[in-house]
Amino acid sequence: MLTRCWSSHYTVCRAAIATQRRFVSKKSATNSLTGALCVIGDEILSGKTLDINSFYFAKRCFELGVQVEKIEIVPDQYESISNSLQRLSQNHDIVFTSGGIGPTHDDITYDAVSRAFGSKLAYHEDTLARMRRIMKSRGSLTMPDPQGTAEQIAMARMALLPANAQVVYPCEEYWVPVVSVVGRVHVFPGIPKLFEDLVDAYLPGLVARLSGKTVLAFTRALVGIRQRESAIAPILDKLQERYAPMGVKIGSYPDWVPKKQPTTNEVSSDWKPTVVVSVVGKNKEQVEACRAEICLLLDGIDLGTNTP
């Protein structure tokens, strides 16, 4: 016999800056802050580099209750970057960038951001000083200098920031800042380790400040179904229509298997669903109620609930 209600937690995969402008939230239908990411780099679009920053951004936003509505990938071109950031910043509360802030000719993100929001570039003295201090502590013999050698000028280029930007250093061990303009656009490096560490240190405080209250994370419940997706579609349609006003979203994913399979005595270890149904919302009781209905109506198996 297959149990219909076994319990197993399924793990899905510093204070922020103060803005000078009044922040007008563009909350989603679930009354959540909305987020977007602009991934910058020819290497992503050519298939040379696998983008994992968008996954991490979406994952952390989900855990913090931010509704990610858009992820764009653009080439290393001024117009493409500027247009993307102008558009995203008009429609979303939080816009992060990834990539394009290094020392070479194709690292143009800071310049593109500056052009997009009517600013000019200027050397940021605190960032230059921080670069020198941390590089020296790590044994570097070459220091950034806007008036120095070609290599020193290239290094200093990474501290050439939009003059109207707000600059913070969320991670003490890194000289790399988070650069923010117009209260919505926040510039991050593309190196995954740096991106992840800075997001972890910066995003929670930013969300708490913008929401003005305790962060309410999303809850995700998973149900395994052993029926064709077309067979369960009519019931899911009706459930979604009923639960939508509560901010609950239902998703259906055929041939997708969670990492953890049922292993209790009542459930065979080789059991495999043909469809996994996802139920997502901020009210855990409503999510659980919807999950229970799906299990009952579709003879489903509870694959656990994830609440960060």
Side-chain angles (χ1 to χ4, degrees):
M1 294 289 292
L2 297 179
T3 181
R4 299 292 178 252
C5 191
W6 69 284
S7 175
S8 174
H9 288 291
Y10 182 75
T11 303
V12 181
C13 343
R14 263 174 236 221
I17 58 178
T19 60
Q20 295 177 344
R21 298 178 55 180
R22 180 175 178 83
F23 190 90
V24 181
S25 177
K26 301 183 180 299
K27 290 186 177 181
S28 68
T30 59
N31 200 33
S32 303
L33 292 171
T34 61
L37 176 67
C38 178
V39 180
I40 301 162
D42 292 342
E43 69 277 15
I44 304 296
L45 291 170
S46 68
K48 175 181 178 294
T49 301
L50 176 66
D51 168 43
I52 60 175
N53 290 344
S54 58
F55 165 78
Y56 197 78
F57 173 75
K59 173 178 177 290
R60 292 296 284 127
C61 283
F62 181 89
E63 293 168 349
L64 292 168
V66 177
Q67 180 69 56
V68 175
E69 295 185 336
K70 183 83 70 174
I71 295 176
E72 296 186 355
I73 304 176
V74 299
D76 297 311
Q77 297 174 358
Y78 288 107
E79 186 176 4
S80 296
I81 298 170
S82 295
N83 288 345
S84 175
L85 293 179
Q86 287 174 340
R87 182 174 58 255
L88 294 176
S89 65
Q90 289 172 358
N91 296 296
H92 302 88
D93 298 313
I94 297 171
V95 179
F96 279 16
T97 74
S98 165
I101 63 170
T104 59
H105 69 282
D106 57 346
D107 291 308
I108 63 173
T109 297
Y110 287 141
D111 196 2
V113 169
S114 182
R115 297 184 189 192
F117 300 104
S119 183
K120 295 182 179 180
L121 292 177
Y123 286 104
H124 193 263
E125 293 301 328
D126 287 348
T127 299
L128 282 171
R130 189 179 179 89
M131 290 173 69
R132 292 169 183 142
R133 175 175 60 81
I134 293 179
M135 288 179 175
K136 183 178 180 180
S137 71
R138 295 176 179 175
S140 176
L141 300 178
T142 304
M143 295 294 147
D145 184 351
Q147 306 300 323
T149 66
E151 182 181 0
Q152 289 176 311
I153 293 173
M155 295 172 70
R157 190 169 182 265
M158 293 184 286
L160 196 57
L161 311 179
N164 65 346
Q166 295 168 316
V167 181
V168 295
Y169 308 94
C171 295
E172 184 59 34
E173 65 270 31
Y174 299 139
W175 63 260
V176 182
V178 172
V179 176
S180 176
V181 296
V182 301
R184 292 184 188 274
V185 177
H186 312 271
V187 181
F188 283 75
I191 297 172
K193 172 62 174 172
L194 292 177
F195 181 86
E196 292 176 9
D197 287 351
L198 289 169
V199 167
D200 286 345
Y202 183 78
L203 183 59
L206 177 65
V207 172
R209 178 175 62 81
L210 296 182
S211 65
K213 56 186 178 181
T214 303
V215 174
L216 183 60
F218 286 105
T219 292
R220 177 189 286 120
L222 301 175
V223 179
I225 309 292
R226 298 197 72 177
Q227 300 182 47
R228 294 189 308 276
E229 193 175 30
S230 57
I232 67 175
I235 293 177
L236 294 183
D237 288 346
K238 292 180 180 179
L239 287 172
Q240 181 61 88
E241 182 178 357
R242 183 150 54 84
Y243 277 93
M246 307 176 196
V248 174
K249 296 181 69 174
I250 301 172
S252 175
Y253 307 95
D255 300 323
W256 180 79
V257 183
K259 293 180 181 178
K260 293 182 179 180
Q261 290 294 298
T263 56
T264 63
N265 292 332
E266 295 85 3
V267 180
S268 171
S269 60
D270 62 358
W271 184 90
K272 177 182 177 181
T274 54
V275 178
V276 171
V277 174
S278 164
V279 183
V280 175
K282 287 196 168 185
N283 186 306
K284 187 174 181 179
E285 291 183 358
Q286 292 171 349
V287 169
E288 290 294 345
C290 183
R291 176 205 58 78
E293 283 200 65
I294 292 172
C295 285
L296 178 64
L297 296 173
L298 298 176
D299 198 30
I301 302 298
D302 179 14
L303 297 180
T305 301
N306 164 242
T307 303

